[in-house]
Amino acid sequence: MISNSTTPVTLKSLNSFKLDSVCPAIYFIRKESDLRPFFGWAEDSFYVLGEGSNVLMLPQISKPILKIEIKGIEIIHDVEDEIILRIGAGENWHQLVLWTLEKAFFGLENLSLIPGTVGAAPIQNIGAYGAELQECFVRCECIHIPDGKQISINKKGANFGYRDSIFKHELKGKIVITHVHLKLSRKPNLKLEYGEIPQILTNKGIQNPSPMDVSQTVIEIRNNKLPDPNILGNAGSFFKNPVIDQNQYLKLKSNYPNLPAFQLEENQVKIPAAWLIQESGWKAHRKGDAGTHEKQALVLVNYGRATGHELIALADDIRASVFQKFAILLENEVQIWT
Ligand SMILES: Cc1cc2nc3c(=O)[nH]c(=O)nc-3n(C[C@H](O)[C@H](O)[C@H](O)COP(=O)(O)OP(=O)(O)OC[C@H]3O[C@@H](n4cnc5c(N)ncnc54)[C@H](O)[C@@H]3O)c2cc1C
C-alpha cells in the first residue's frame, strides 16, 4: 500500500481522458487486507478507482482515492461444460477475455477490448456488441467500507439494467468490489447478429466462426471506430443511449424518418445517442482542446490540454442542443469526480 497524504497526487496517467487532476491522497490496494485501515471511513468520503476509463476528473479532486489492484484468476468450479471463475477486481478486463479464450472458456468474446478492470465491470454492467456482463455474472465479493463488513452481491441483488446496477445507487460511495465471480461455458453460444459483425465475418469468408473469430472481429470494429485512449484522451461513450416511450418515438419518427431505434420490451424504444448528437451538428466539433471524435460524436475527447471543466461545459452544450431539437435529455454514462 502506498500513500501520499501531504503532497497532492497527480492523476494524469491514471485516467483515460488524460486529465491533469490532483487528489489529496491515493492508496494502492493490492490485497483485501490493505482495505483494513479505511474501515470506519464515512460513506462518500473516498473514491474507488480502477483504470480510470469511465471517469471525468475535475482539476482538484476533494476526496482520497482507493486504487484497486487486487490480482488473481482462480477456477473455483469446473463441472462438465460449466466453469466459474473468481477474479481479482484489479485484473484488466481485456486480458481476462483473452485468457478465457486461450483456455476455451466461452461467453466473454463480444466484450473484447473494453478498457478497464474486472472490478469496475459490474458497476455499469458493461456491454457491447449484443452482450452484457450480467449474462455471465454470478456474484461479487465486496467490502462495505464504513463498517468493514464483507458482503456478497448476487445477480438478483445487483439489479442490473442498461449501464446500471445497485452500485450506482444504494451502494454508491460505500463499497469496494474485491472479487468478481463469472460463469462461462466450454460450449460456444455465439452472438453474431449485432452491428457489423455478420458483414465482417462474411467479408473474411468465415462461415462457421469460432469464439476467437468473434473476439477478433469485435476488436477490429472497435479499433476502427473508437479512439485509442493512449493516443487521444477519452472515456468511450460519454452519454447513455436514451430510452423513450413508443408515443414519443412515433412522433419523432414522423419528423425524422431516418431516426434509428431498437425496440425494447414494455413499449419502450432505445435511440442511439450518437445519432442525436450528430444530427444536432456536433460531429468533429472542437473548442480549444475539448471536442467530439471525428468518427463518433458520442465520444468526447481531450486533444491535449483540455480540463475537466471544459469537457463538462461541452457535454452541457451538447445536452442542451439535443434537448432543444429532440426533447430528449441525455444522461451521462461517465462518472464526474469533483
Ligand atoms: C475507448 C473506450 C471504450 C469503451 N467502451 C465501452 C463499451 O463498449 N461498453 C462499456 O460498457 N463501457 C465502455 N467503456 C467504459 C469503461 O471501459 C467501463 O466503464 C469500464 O468498466 C471502466 O473500468 P475502469 O476500471 O477504468 O473503471 P473506473 O473508470 O476506474 O471507474 C468507473 C466506476 O467504477 C467504480 N469502481 C471501479 N472499480 C471499482 C471497485 N473495485 N469497487 C467499487 N467500485 C469501483 C469507480 O468508483 C467509478 O464509479 C469504454 C471506455 C473507453 C475509454
Side-chain angles (χ1 to χ4, degrees), residues 14 16-17 47-55 57 66 68 89-91 93 111-129 163 167-168 172 175-178 222 226-229 234-237 299 333 335 337:
L14 300 181
S16 65
F17 262 126
Y47 284 122
V48 183
L49 183 65
E51 291 180 11
S53 52
N54 205 24
V55 291
M57 300 174 174
L66 304 177
I68 308 306
E91 288 286 346
W93 176 265
L111 302 177
S112 298
L113 211 62
I114 296 182
T117 55
V118 170
I123 306 294
Q124 70 157 2
N125 180 26
I126 56 167
Y129 296 94
R163 300 293 186 274
F167 305 107
K168 284 186 161 187
K172 190 173 180 186
I175 58 104
V176 169
I177 295 176
T178 59
R222 294 183 68 97
L226 291 167
D228 177 350
N234 77 91
S237 305
V299 177
E333 179 177 318
Q335 313 278 311
W337 284 9

Side-chain angles (χ1 to χ4, degrees), residues 31-47:
K31 53 188 188 309
E32 222 172 293
S33 58
D34 289 345
L35 286 169
R36 246 180 241 140
F38 311 103
F39 293 176
W41 274 16
E43 67 180 74
D44 282 331
S45 65
F46 59 92
Y47 284 122

Side-chain angles (χ1 to χ4, degrees), residues 67-324:
K67 174 150 172 42
I68 308 306
E69 300 194 336
I70 299 169
K71 303 282 186 191
I73 307 177
E74 290 167 70
I75 301 170
I76 57 169
H77 170 97
D78 184 354
V79 178
E80 295 179 3
D81 291 328
E82 192 179 272
I83 310 290
I84 297 183
L85 302 178
R86 176 180 186 260
I87 310 134
E91 288 286 346
N92 173 271
W93 176 265
H94 182 57
Q95 292 310 313
L96 169 73
V97 175
L98 296 180
W99 183 91
T100 60
L101 288 169
E102 255 171 44
K103 299 267 176 208
F105 301 160
F106 306 129
L108 301 184
E109 46 283 346
N110 293 54
L111 302 177
S112 298
L113 211 62
I114 296 182
T117 55
V118 170
I123 306 294
Q124 70 157 2
N125 180 26
I126 56 167
Y129 296 94
E132 280 186 329
L133 177 85
Q134 64 170 325
E135 291 150 28
C136 57
F137 181 88
V138 178
R139 69 182 185 98
C140 60
E141 298 169 39
C142 313
I143 303 280
H144 186 270
I145 294 294
D147 62 16
K149 286 207 175 116
Q150 286 189 331
I151 53 174
S152 170
I153 303 289
N154 64 17
K155 189 167 169 168
K156 189 158 180 272
N159 203 12
F160 289 122
Y162 161 63
R163 300 293 186 274
D164 203 16
S165 72
I166 191 170
F167 305 107
K168 284 186 161 187
H169 302 281
E170 289 94 317
L171 294 180
K172 190 173 180 186
K174 297 177 188 159
I175 58 104
V176 169
I177 295 176
T178 59
H179 295 87
V180 177
H181 296 225
L182 300 179
K183 183 156 77 181
L184 303 177
S185 173
R186 289 187 196 275
K187 272 195 192 152
N189 179 13
L190 300 181
K191 294 199 176 76
L192 302 172
E193 299 312 316
Y194 200 93
E196 299 106 306
I197 294 178
Q199 190 58 54
I200 293 187
L201 289 169
T202 309
N203 293 350
K204 286 180 175 168
I206 300 174
Q207 279 167 356
N208 292 308
S210 65
M212 193 62 101
D213 291 326
V214 175
S215 168
Q216 276 162 2
T217 303
V218 168
I219 291 172
E220 207 174 294
I221 298 170
R222 294 183 68 97
N223 279 335
N224 276 331
K225 263 193 175 171
L226 291 167
D228 177 350
N230 292 317
I231 297 167
L232 189 59
N234 77 91
S237 305
F238 196 90
F239 302 100
K240 289 162 82 164
N241 290 320
V243 175
I244 60 176
D245 69 34
Q246 189 79 20
N247 284 342
Q248 189 181 3
Y249 166 66
L250 291 175
K251 263 192 222 155
L252 278 172
K253 183 85 180 163
S254 65
N255 290 333
Y256 302 97
N258 297 333
L259 180 71
F262 305 99
Q263 189 72 47
L264 306 174
E265 293 150 26
E266 292 171 18
N267 206 19
Q268 298 210 301
V269 180
K270 194 194 278 179
I271 310 290
W275 188 88
L276 299 170
I277 295 169
Q278 207 167 308
E279 289 296 303
S280 305
W282 290 98
K283 196 170 177 187
H285 169 91
R286 179 168 175 176
K287 185 175 174 197
D289 273 353
T292 56
H293 189 239
E294 53 181 14
K295 289 189 188 159
Q296 174 55 280
L298 182 54
V299 177
L300 268 52
V301 293
N302 172 11
Y303 283 102
R305 298 170 70 104
T307 64
H309 291 297
E310 287 165 343
L311 286 160
I312 289 174
L314 173 60
D316 287 344
D317 287 348
I318 292 174
R319 195 180 348 260
S321 79
V322 167
F323 187 75
Q324 199 178 19

